[in-house]
Amino acid sequence: MKKYLFFIIAIISSIALAKESETNMKLEKFFFKWRKFESPPLLNGAPDYTKSQFKKRQQKYKKLAKELNSIDTTGWKHSWKADWMLIKAEMNGFDFNRRVLKSWERDPAFYQTIWMYQSDVPAHEGPVNHALLEYWQYSLPLNKDSIKKITKELNVISPLLDQARKNLTGNAKDLWIAGIRDIQSQIDDLNKIEKELLSHHKPKTIPNLITAINKARVSTNDFVKWLENESPKKNGPSGIGKENYSWYQKNVHLIPLTWEEEVQLLKRELNRAWSSLKLEEHRNQNLPEQIAANTKKEFDQLTDKSIKKMMNFLEINDIMYIKPNMEPALREHRGSFIESEKRNFFYIGMHIDPLPLYSHFYHWFDLAEIRDNPHSNPIRRAEPLYNMFDSKNEGIATAAEEMFMHAGLYDDNPRSREIVWIMLAQRAARGLGSLYAHANMMTMEEASQVHVKWTPRGWMEREPELLRFEQHLYLRQPGYGTCYVTGKYLIEDLMMEYAEKIETEKKKFILKDFLKTFNEAGSIPVELIKFEMLKK
């Protein structure tokens, strides 16, 4: 009788597993169909961003949206429901971009194709086109396949920029003017690529590649001139407005805050950062001032010591589970010595004590895992769309700065706590500026002044390039300027609710277990991780 019952239970279990597998496969199949649709068709070899293309495909988009909404998620695991919500948010993002953001119409920087460096987050910050040339991924000298691949990628630039002249009908003045610099930088990138290639290859061995570089350079240069000629005609706002901003945050990035609530939160964090900084300075008033590294040797010694301290701190204090790829990832991005008069905001702090910024370099732990241990779920393994990773990846990097501080990272060096508060104040200030710019209450230049004024010690006054880069990015990508602080807030909220749940269950809250579960969820919005972890 027992054997018979066991056999029945086994059959029932196998049927249930088969149904679960079928459900999971159905969602994954839809996901890949959606992602295939999201990538636009080609026009003359380049991605097609014309109005007629979006209009032509709108009916298919509606059909896909209807198909997703018809999927019955009753009884699903929380992780599958989270996947469904993730896809829903992605589709909302596509629709929002088509209706409101329209980067291909309003934002010349959208047509920047060449990227010389790896982003510190799972995808490039800001809207990008679908034909990127990731030069940092190539190893020199190039093999035959790489020569063929990069030549093909370069040959997309000319038809894409030809198309851009027809597509760019928008009147967003700040985006237009700032975007010219991004396209100009592509000329410098092409020159650098050519120089590096010719240092490893003879011209006669890569004739098609050299031709492609020259063609791309001419096209980019002509495009810059066209943008400059058109710029005097541009006089419109670049922000998307409060209502659109709030809708985007709630329905795409899944940030449960309105524009007004984000303003309130960032003001509060700015107040807290400044007041905490002044209290730290008062407490530390009898301690000697910190002296910045002023030679390469001093900097190398400082960074090496800091990396060792960081990794030992995380392991000995049970902050994180240490993996073999973590310290190498940190060392690879340890920074380099910069003369004092050339240091931007982040390098000022790094030359005093790198640990506050190394805490933010939690980013590189994330990316090392994405590279070495890709997520088992293909939906979460795919590169995130529309910067929807921001609350998770930028949020935890920012939260880690304060988290590690409170856990004791600076107990033997109290003055470094001051740097943590300065960094938080800077992030709150620049986020506030970006909110005012998106509400069209300020120009990008005026938002930059909020950024400068409310960053302590004048640390944002010394390097205008960083200032322009950040405010331009935040105007291009709604929500990115605030995600450092809003993401940190959502993670702190998650930690609170998770800790209360654990306490109610008479269990002990273990920080490294919390972070492990959080990390392993993938690069998805924090609210979806919360949905999974709290099961509610």
Side-chain angles (χ1 to χ4, degrees), residues 3-198:
K3 289 183 179 181
Y4 178 74
L5 287 173
F6 179 80
F7 180 70
I8 295 296
I9 292 171
I11 291 176
I12 294 172
S13 298
S14 64
I15 292 172
L17 288 171
K19 286 185 177 180
E20 284 189 359
S21 179
E22 182 181 345
T23 301
N24 196 20
M25 289 296 291
K26 183 179 181 180
L27 191 62
E28 289 178 13
K29 185 178 179 180
F30 177 85
F31 173 75
F32 289 118
K33 182 163 59 172
W34 147 245
R35 282 299 188 93
K36 183 179 180 181
F37 168 85
E38 195 276 340
S39 185
L42 299 181
L43 176 64
N44 298 324
D48 185 355
Y49 299 108
T50 60
K51 282 186 177 180
S52 59
Q53 176 271 131
F54 283 104
K55 185 176 181 180
K56 183 178 179 181
R57 295 201 300 151
Q58 183 60 12
Q59 195 60 38
K60 186 172 182 180
Y61 169 82
K62 290 180 178 179
K63 185 177 179 181
L64 283 170
K66 184 177 180 180
E67 182 180 346
L68 179 66
N69 289 328
S70 70
I71 297 175
D72 183 7
T73 63
T74 304
W76 279 20
K77 295 179 180 178
H78 275 69
S79 61
W80 293 355
K81 288 184 179 180
D83 288 341
W84 186 95
M85 290 187 281
L86 179 65
I87 299 171
K88 175 73 171 179
E90 286 189 355
M91 297 189 72
N92 287 341
F94 177 91
D95 187 55
F96 183 88
N97 287 356
R98 180 190 62 83
R99 293 183 294 104
V100 179
L101 196 60
K102 299 181 180 180
S103 299
W104 45 87
E105 289 185 14
R106 304 170 64 247
D107 179 9
F110 178 75
Y111 293 97
Q112 179 185 358
T113 295
I114 298 173
W115 291 83
M116 303 295 283
Y117 61 89
Q118 180 186 13
S119 175
D120 63 1
V121 284
H124 287 294
E125 299 166 326
V128 293
N129 67 70
H130 289 75
L132 301 188
L133 192 166
E134 304 279 10
Y135 183 69
W136 59 274
Q137 293 181 347
Y138 286 96
S139 298
L140 298 177
L142 300 175
N143 58 34
K144 289 183 179 180
D145 289 340
S146 293
I147 291 172
K148 184 177 180 180
K149 182 175 184 290
I150 195 172
T151 301
K152 182 179 179 181
E153 291 171 338
L154 286 164
N155 281 329
V156 172
I157 291 175
S158 182
L160 181 63
L161 297 184
D162 286 343
Q163 185 192 140
R165 299 187 196 202
K166 300 174 184 177
N167 295 344
L168 284 166
T169 57
N171 189 31
K173 180 180 178 179
D174 283 345
L175 285 179
W176 193 281
I177 301 301
I180 294 174
R181 292 170 55 84
D182 289 50
I183 304 302
Q184 284 175 325
S185 70
Q186 185 159 284
I187 299 172
D188 296 331
D189 293 340
L190 286 163
N191 291 336
K192 182 178 180 180
I193 290 171
E194 182 178 43
K195 183 178 179 180
E196 289 189 358
L197 289 175
L198 291 178

Side-chain angles (χ1 to χ4, degrees), residues 152-389:
K152 182 179 179 181
E153 291 171 338
L154 286 164
N155 281 329
V156 172
I157 291 175
S158 182
L160 181 63
L161 297 184
D162 286 343
Q163 185 192 140
R165 299 187 196 202
K166 300 174 184 177
N167 295 344
L168 284 166
T169 57
N171 189 31
K173 180 180 178 179
D174 283 345
L175 285 179
W176 193 281
I177 301 301
I180 294 174
R181 292 170 55 84
D182 289 50
I183 304 302
Q184 284 175 325
S185 70
Q186 185 159 284
I187 299 172
D188 296 331
D189 293 340
L190 286 163
N191 291 336
K192 182 178 180 180
I193 290 171
E194 182 178 43
K195 183 178 179 180
E196 289 189 358
L197 289 175
L198 291 178
S199 69
H200 290 82
H201 301 271
K202 292 181 180 180
K204 63 181 181 181
T205 64
I206 51 171
N208 293 336
L209 178 49
I210 296 301
T211 299
I213 291 174
N214 288 331
K215 185 178 179 181
R217 185 162 42 215
V218 170
S219 296
T220 305
N221 190 57
D222 289 345
F223 186 54
V224 169
K225 291 178 181 178
W226 179 81
L227 290 171
E228 290 173 338
N229 289 336
E230 293 291 312
S231 62
K233 305 174 187 177
K234 306 302 175 182
N235 56 18
S238 294
I240 61 173
K242 296 178 185 179
E243 185 177 344
N244 281 328
Y245 185 96
S246 297
W247 190 95
Y248 182 75
Q249 288 291 77
K250 286 190 174 183
N251 294 281
V252 181
H253 286 221
L254 306 184
I255 306 291
L257 300 168
T258 63
W259 180 91
E260 290 82 3
E261 289 168 336
E262 288 198 7
V263 169
Q264 185 177 18
L265 173 63
L266 267 69
K267 281 183 176 179
R268 172 64 187 122
E269 286 295 275
L270 183 61
N271 295 342
R272 193 171 71 91
W274 268 84
S275 59
S276 296
L277 171 62
K278 294 305 150 185
L279 290 171
E280 295 285 359
E281 290 172 344
H282 177 80
R283 187 178 73 165
N284 298 334
Q285 62 185 315
N286 296 321
L287 297 177
E289 293 288 335
Q290 290 178 301
I291 299 174
N294 284 313
T295 67
K296 183 179 184 303
K297 181 179 179 181
E298 290 176 357
F299 182 80
D300 289 344
Q301 290 174 340
L302 176 64
T303 54
D304 182 65
K305 179 182 177 182
S306 298
I307 290 170
K308 290 176 180 176
K309 181 179 179 181
M310 170 71 81
M311 299 312 301
N312 286 336
F313 169 78
L314 295 177
E315 183 171 19
I316 292 172
N317 292 280
D318 289 331
I319 308 295
M320 297 182 72
Y321 287 97
I322 304 302
K323 296 189 175 185
N325 59 11
M326 292 173 69
E327 183 169 339
L330 190 54
R331 287 192 175 278
E332 186 179 349
H333 300 91
R334 64 191 294 175
S336 55
F337 176 71
I338 304 292
E339 297 291 339
S340 59
E341 64 276 9
K342 297 180 181 178
R343 293 170 193 164
N344 67 22
F345 173 82
F346 294 108
Y347 269 101
I348 293 171
M350 179 179 271
H351 281 66
I352 296 171
D353 185 349
L355 286 173
L357 193 56
Y358 285 174
S359 299
H360 194 83
F361 282 5
Y362 198 109
H363 277 315
W364 298 110
F365 297 157
D366 280 342
L367 293 186
E369 276 302 282
I370 290 173
R371 179 196 64 210
D372 300 335
N373 300 296
H375 206 286
S376 58
N377 180 344
I379 295 175
R380 303 191 191 190
R381 189 163 61 240
E383 186 175 282
L385 296 179
Y386 317 132
N387 286 189
M388 288 166 55
F389 56 78

